[in-house]
Amino acid sequence: MPLKPPPDQDIVVVGATGDLAHRKLLPALYNLGVRDLLPAQGKIIGAAPFGWSDDKFRDFARDAVTKFSRTGIDNARFGQFAQRLRFAPLMQGDDLSPLQPHLTQHNRIVYLAVPPSAFEPLITGIGAAGLADTTRIIIEKPFGHDLASARDLNALLHRVVPEDRIYRIDHYMGKETVQNLIVLRFGNAVFARLWNRDAIERVEITVAEELSVDGRGPLYEQIGALRDIVQNHMFQLLALTTMEPPNSFDAEALRNEKVKVLNSIIPIDPRHVVRGQYATGEVNGERVDGYREEPGVSPGSNTETFVALRLELESWRFSGVPFFLRTGKRLPDRDTRIVIVFRDVALHLFRHAGVRHLDSNRLVVRIQPDEGITLRFVAKRPGPDIDVEPVDMDFSYDTSFRVSPPEAYERLLHDAMVGDHTLFIREDEVEAGWAAVAPVLAAPPPVHLYAAGTWGPSEADAIPRPWHWHNPEPEPEQPS
Ligand code: BG6
């Protein structure tokens, strides 16, 4: 079904002068405008503790769209978009009354695009400014910094607005390739029947980034990779990879199944976790600084920029199957993938023909970049002997659909405006995620340094033993 414009409402972005608004939210809102998917009536009100004018905010938005819009900028379209933009200077911390004169609609969505330390005063501020009645709140991750603080934040939110007006965002849920996990698993008999502990030997999930902390040093110092990526993005990937089929695409049906998975994670044993931090190294042929040299990072910091861990689920479908999760910054590639490794066949038939080893069948779901899916199996190499070689069957979004999927934030902003919770995180989901990592937060293992541009500290190689990590194959050299 084609998407429809949402009902009339104002869109308030608190933290509108920050990095998230600049890189993601303003370009996403602009592109929703290009697709005629903004409300017919309503303003986009930026708010932040700066004395900016509307025009200064419009210039900021133009810069954001020019640099980060996936469709570039169209001046006429931007002109229409800019007419919606207003700026409300919040010069007194959590006092949100400066929003009042800009509000034009009965309904509104307030996006809290601010560091976690600002959530609490702003949520209280929404209530104090008398805005709670018709406000829906979108709240960014990380949602709390452990189980207790997540519970407190949930309780505070519920004092101001009910759960059905809260949208906890995890932008991975907005990615097409992540949503496609549901279709891949439940829309294809061949996979649906094999998706269990009888056929699957192990699963590996990697979220690798080439980027550094990219100017977010002070914030990252309080978070680290476990809270930034594992507890949310990776657990969402894990949940969609392992959940039971929901009865429908209804928001609660899907979220119920995800919560069951997160509740089934056996609390992670810190002995099965390796933490790492990037040191000086080389990325794309250029020398880059280590994490401790990044602005705003303590020279003695023990914050992890890399985590590798093993976990297991206590579930009928997956009990006993190890899951290996790995994420890091300043790795050799940007690459998010899920590798499903199937159990091997009996080898004896081939052994008689002199074949000593058969590569395991595996399904590689490439979440990004180069979005697609590869099935690796073995084939007989043409010739008189039984010679077996791994080959690939490949699906790529680019060649099959010839479209670049919309940005995750476009989808999520639109869903929140129409009141669809399906892709947002429910309170019990967040809490189950924190419970799973609680033992690691309580007794974090030591941090090992790794050179930027490598696949993390060598200690991480022990995590998937007796196997090894599947790193993406390097791009073939182009003939000169
Ligand atoms: C954010 C993290 O949630 O996700 C960042 O805070 C990370 O540290 C980013 O860089 C990665 O998002 P994506 O969509 O590029 O994989």
Side-chain angles (χ1 to χ4, degrees):
M1 243 190 317
L3 296 180
K4 290 200 217 110
D8 293 346
Q9 60 196 293
D10 291 317
I11 304 163
V12 178
V13 180
V14 184
T17 56
D19 201 48
L20 179 68
H22 194 234
R23 282 173 193 263
K24 299 286 183 187
L25 304 183
L26 289 165
L29 288 167
Y30 165 79
N31 278 309
L32 284 174
V34 170
R35 295 164 66 200
D36 293 324
L37 290 176
L38 286 176
Q41 300 293 327
K43 301 287 177 227
I44 298 174
I45 304 152
F50 290 103
W52 284 14
S53 63
D54 292 347
D55 279 343
K56 175 134 180 148
F57 183 47
R58 290 185 185 123
D59 289 345
F60 179 75
R62 176 181 280 281
D63 184 66
V65 172
T66 309
K67 288 191 180 130
F68 299 112
S69 152
R70 69 182 169 89
T71 60
I73 187 165
D74 174 287
N75 280 327
R77 279 290 193 176
F78 184 81
Q80 290 165 4
F81 178 69
Q83 283 173 15
R84 290 178 183 262
L85 298 176
R86 300 284 183 277
F87 191 79
L90 303 180
M91 303 312 275
Q92 320 232 331
D94 51 0
D95 176 11
L96 293 183
S97 53
L99 287 176
Q100 295 280 14
H102 297 286
L103 296 172
T104 61
Q105 304 298 312
H106 182 62
N107 285 314
R108 74 197 66 88
I109 193 133
V110 174
Y111 196 127
L112 297 182
V114 294
S117 55
F119 288 160
E120 209 178 302
L122 286 169
I123 293 164
T124 314
I126 290 173
L131 298 173
D133 276 359
T134 53
T135 290
R136 277 156 295 132
I137 298 181
I138 307 184
I139 185 160
E140 261 296 332
K141 54 163 271 286
F143 191 90
H145 59 270
D146 58 11
L147 180 56
S149 57
R151 282 190 176 140
D152 289 349
L153 191 52
N154 275 331
L156 172 70
L157 272 166
H158 291 154
R159 281 200 289 280
V160 179
V161 292
E163 181 68 19
D164 66 1
R165 284 199 264 129
I166 300 169
Y167 296 80
R168 294 176 197 80
I169 210 161
D170 180 319
H171 76 280
Y172 266 52
M173 286 300 292
K175 292 182 192 274
E176 278 291 338
T177 44
V178 174
Q179 293 158 30
N180 186 47
L181 284 165
I182 301 175
V183 176
L184 169 75
R185 290 189 49 202
F186 303 125
N188 294 295
V190 64
F191 296 125
R193 301 221 157 88
L194 286 180
W195 215 267
N196 56 54
R197 62 198 295 274
D198 299 334
I200 293 177
E201 180 184 63
R202 62 189 198 272
V203 177
E204 202 180 294
I205 306 180
T206 295
V207 175
E209 294 185 275
E210 228 175 78
L211 278 182
S212 65
V213 287
D214 204 22
R216 294 160 70 224
L219 176 68
Y220 200 84
E221 277 285 86
Q222 299 163 34
I223 301 175
L226 189 72
R227 292 184 171 95
D228 189 38
I229 304 280
V230 176
Q231 187 270 349
N232 32 66
H233 301 331
M234 297 194 86
F235 280 3
Q236 291 300 315
L237 297 177
L238 174 73
L240 292 179
T241 305
T242 57
M243 70 182 186
E244 293 301 318
N247 283 339
S248 69
F249 282 104
D250 171 75
E252 296 323 317
L254 178 78
R255 301 198 297 178
N256 287 343
E257 296 308 331
K258 287 197 296 163
V259 170
K260 283 187 211 160
V261 169
L262 298 175
N263 277 325
S264 78
I265 302 175
I266 300 176
I268 299 166
D269 184 338
R271 286 172 305 180
H272 295 157
V273 179
V274 168
R275 296 196 307 142
Q277 187 189 75
Y278 62 85
T280 311
E282 220 177 78
V283 172
N284 290 329
E286 269 183 37
R287 188 195 166 283
V288 295
D289 283 344
Y291 176 70
R292 291 177 189 174
E293 283 93 56
E294 300 281 0
V297 170
S298 146
S301 171
N302 267 328
T303 304
E304 79 282 354
T305 61
F306 174 98
V307 182
L309 61 85
R310 172 197 173 110
L311 63 80
E312 285 188 28
L313 306 180
E314 223 160 22
S315 78
W316 188 258
R317 190 185 278 268
F318 276 110
S319 173
V321 175
F323 288 79
F324 303 113
L325 274 53
R326 176 178 62 156
T327 183
K329 294 204 181 277
R330 282 292 192 221
L331 300 186
D333 266 316
R334 176 170 188 252
D335 190 281
T336 294
R337 56 173 58 204
I338 303 171
V339 183
I340 316 281
V341 185
F342 293 93
R343 293 194 189 284
D344 288 337
V345 294
L347 189 64
H348 65 278
L349 166 68
F350 297 93
R351 215 185 283 122
H352 292 313
V355 176
R356 291 228 190 85
H357 167 82
L358 286 178
D359 259 39
S360 305
N361 289 168
R362 61 178 194 255
L363 188 70
V364 180
V365 182
R366 297 189 307 274
I367 302 291
Q368 66 187 24
D370 184 22
E371 290 81 359
I373 298 174
T374 301
L375 180 64
R376 173 159 285 200
F377 56 102
V378 291
K380 178 181 173 301
R381 178 198 273 279
D385 299 325
I386 295 290
D387 205 355
V388 175
E389 216 177 276
V391 290
D392 287 342
M393 239 161 34
D394 197 49
F395 149 66
S396 130
Y397 276 75
D398 199 26
T399 44
S400 291
F401 298 127
R402 303 201 170 279
V403 287
S404 73
E407 262 281 328
Y409 278 97
E410 274 171 57
R411 171 70 196 263
L412 295 172
L413 280 162
H414 181 269
D415 282 3
M417 285 190 272
V418 297
D420 182 349
H421 275 90
T422 313
L423 300 177
F424 293 88
I425 315 302
R426 207 168 60 187
E427 61 172 318
D428 47 355
E429 247 179 294
V430 178
E431 293 182 10
W434 283 120
V437 297
V440 188
L441 296 177
V447 163
H448 303 279
L449 295 180
Y450 59 97
T454 65
W455 283 102
S458 57
E459 287 78 2
D461 296 346
I463 293 288
R465 271 196 200 128
W467 302 289
H468 55 82
W469 297 103
H470 289 98
N471 292 332
E473 281 148 29
E475 296 278 317
E477 299 252 331
Q478 298 297 325
S480 48

